[in-house]
């Protein structure tokens, strides 16, 4: 793995290096120095500035709510690429360390996945830490997936062709939902994971190599996880899907990783673990890019390649699941 490189900065491509230099010159305060509310506002404004502009057009974008088990109405956004009824659907869980991120920060990505995947996407605003700590985000994500499975037809969706995906902390939640779906007998066409967190402890070589100066600093990771989870809960598979007792029988998996990312090693380890358990895994490692690049398409053009690859994985997964009536 590239994380043992003597000079990790030499691995960066020109776009990533240029972005890091601009961010360092701007001297922005680290998220860990802000309150969670400040960090969310900062990300809501600053995040989309790095993404594609104008936002790609999608046939239908609709704000909806989905019910959580405690009666909370979870804000969500439905993207559909056409008028067609019975569209396959991806539940998308945004990144942001369980603390920040919103429907707004991942709007462009969800548009891209809908366009390129020829599917509907439902982006979920699950409840965030520290106001809502572990396992609230897990419960919200699972409740949304279950609702789509039971009631998707009401939104013009084919509930027999369902996938789950996410990036970073959202990738963790998606991987956890895939484990829960297997245990519940809910068949998923695909789990789509962009640089997911999968381990109880951030102690891989890549966490060391890319600890500072690669867009996601160790101090930020530590702050996110302190907001979200008690130390004693870190070994729980609903936080660290690698620690699940059994990974067999999981949905086919597409994993997209950034080479210069503290989380790259645990993404590779998760791919290997799933393969060893007999799960079909497609692993892409995007060279020279940093954590978060898939929502930085304006700054890092490699994002467009990853969007296309993920879209192809969605199309292929859903094509293998022909619409079955009477279910």
């Amino acid at each position: 793995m590239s994380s043992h490189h003597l000079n990790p900065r030499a691995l960066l491509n020109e776009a990533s290096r240029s972005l890091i230099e601009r961010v360092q010159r701007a001297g922005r305060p680290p998220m860990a120095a802000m309150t969670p509310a400040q960090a969310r506002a900062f990300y809501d404004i600053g995040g989309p500035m790095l993404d594609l502009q104008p936002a790609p057009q999608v046939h239908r974008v609709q704000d909806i709510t989905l019910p959580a088990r405690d009666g909370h109405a979870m804000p969500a956004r439905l993207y559909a690429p056409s008028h067609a009824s019975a569209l396959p659907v991806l539940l998308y869980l945004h990144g942001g360390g369980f603390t920040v991120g919103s429907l707004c920060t991942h709007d462009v990505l969800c548009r891209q996945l809908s366009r390129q995947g020829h599917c509907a996407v439902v982006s979920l605003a699950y409840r965030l830490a520290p106001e809502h700590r572990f396992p609230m985000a897990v419960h919200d994500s699972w409740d949304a997936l279950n609702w789509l499975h039971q009631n998707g037809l009401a939104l013009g969706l084919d509930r027999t062709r369902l996938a789950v995906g996410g990036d970073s902390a959202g990738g963790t939640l998606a991987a956890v939902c895939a484990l829960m779906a297997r245990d519940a007998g809910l068949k998923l066409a695909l789990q789509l994971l962009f640089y997911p967190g999968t381990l109880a402890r951030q102690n891989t070589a890549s966490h060391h190599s890319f600890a500072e100066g690669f867009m996601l600093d160790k101090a930020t990771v530590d702050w996110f996880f302190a907001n979200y989870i008690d130390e004693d809960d870190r070994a729980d598979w609903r936080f660290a899907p690698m620690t699940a007792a059994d990974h067999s029988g999981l949905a086919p998996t597409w994993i997209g990783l950034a080479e210069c990312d503290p989380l790259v090693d645990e993404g590779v380890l998760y791919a290997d673990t799933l393969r060893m358990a007999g799960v079909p895994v497609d692993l892409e490692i995007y060279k020279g890019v940093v954590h978060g690049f898939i929502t930085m398409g304006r700054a890092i053009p490699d994002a467009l390649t990853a969007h296309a690859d993920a879209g192809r994985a969605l199309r292929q997964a859903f094509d293998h699941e022909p619409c079955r009536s009477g279910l």
Side-chain angles (χ1 to χ4, degrees):
M1 274 178 260
S2 63
S3 43
H4 308 289
H5 202 275
L6 288 174
N7 175 18
R9 287 192 71 80
L11 296 168
L12 291 167
N13 69 16
E14 192 49 50
S16 298
R17 186 178 294 114
S18 167
L19 174 62
I20 288 167
E21 285 168 1
R22 291 201 304 277
V23 167
Q24 287 171 342
R25 273 203 306 273
R28 61 170 193 168
M31 277 194 183
M34 305 181 194
T35 66
Q38 288 169 333
R40 284 173 203 142
F42 178 83
Y43 185 34
D44 275 356
I45 295 164
M49 289 169 69
L50 300 176
D51 217 332
L52 301 174
Q53 297 173 0
Q57 285 301 300
V58 179
H59 175 73
R60 171 175 159 218
V61 180
Q62 181 184 352
D63 284 335
I64 59 174
T65 61
L66 304 179
R69 62 189 67 182
D70 62 0
H72 170 71
M74 299 183 284
R77 189 169 291 165
L78 170 66
Y79 302 82
S82 72
H83 272 306
S85 60
L87 283 164
V89 59
L90 168 71
L91 173 66
Y92 195 82
L93 305 165
H94 69 74
F98 307 102
T99 304
V100 302
S102 65
L103 302 180
C104 144
T105 55
H106 287 62
D107 179 65
V108 166
L109 175 61
C110 290
R111 288 166 179 267
Q112 286 286 84
L113 293 173
S114 178
R115 285 164 60 100
Q116 311 244 3
H118 301 173
C119 63
V121 175
V122 172
S123 180
L124 180 71
Y126 55 87
R127 283 171 280 187
L128 298 173
E131 295 88 341
H132 304 282
R133 289 172 61 83
F134 173 86
M136 181 66 86
V138 174
H139 290 165
D140 283 357
S141 301
W142 175 245
D143 290 352
L145 188 64
N146 245 322
W147 191 92
L148 289 170
H149 174 63
Q150 305 280 346
N151 306 289
L153 202 59
L155 294 173
L157 307 174
D158 178 358
R159 59 194 189 84
T160 70
R161 291 188 294 165
L162 183 57
V164 67
D167 60 294
S168 197
T172 305
L173 293 170
V176 169
C177 280
L179 285 157
M180 296 172 84
R182 176 203 61 191
D183 294 346
L186 195 170
K187 190 172 187 297
L188 295 177
L190 187 71
Q191 55 173 333
L192 183 86
L193 311 177
F194 294 106
Y195 32 75
T198 66
L199 295 177
R201 303 266 169 238
Q202 285 57 58
N203 53 11
T204 61
S206 60
H207 275 287
H208 177 75
S209 297
F210 303 115
E212 283 179 16
F214 294 87
M215 293 302 285
L216 178 67
D217 287 353
K218 181 182 186 303
T220 309
V221 176
D222 292 346
W223 181 71
F224 283 152
F225 291 167
N227 283 332
Y228 179 57
I229 194 163
D230 295 344
E231 278 296 315
D232 293 348
D233 286 333
R234 276 178 166 249
D236 191 311
W237 62 271
R238 296 170 301 168
F239 173 71
M242 189 83 82
T243 66
D246 177 18
H247 294 89
S248 64
L250 288 174
T253 305
W254 184 91
I255 300 181
L257 305 176
E259 183 186 24
C260 304
D261 179 351
L263 273 65
V264 66
D265 284 0
E266 62 198 87
V268 172
L269 285 168
Y270 201 60
D272 288 346
T273 299
L274 267 51
R275 280 183 179 141
M276 292 291 285
V279 176
V281 176
D282 186 2
L283 172 65
E284 298 283 348
I285 302 178
Y286 298 92
K287 297 291 186 192
V289 296
V290 290
H291 191 84
F293 82 99
I294 56 154
T295 47
M296 301 174 178
R298 185 180 174 204
I300 302 179
D302 310 68
L304 295 166
T305 308
H307 298 165
D309 291 342
R312 189 180 313 115
L314 286 163
R315 291 198 308 274
Q316 290 172 349
F318 289 137
D319 279 349
H320 293 162
E321 301 284 315
C323 181
R324 298 183 299 279
S325 59
L327 287 181

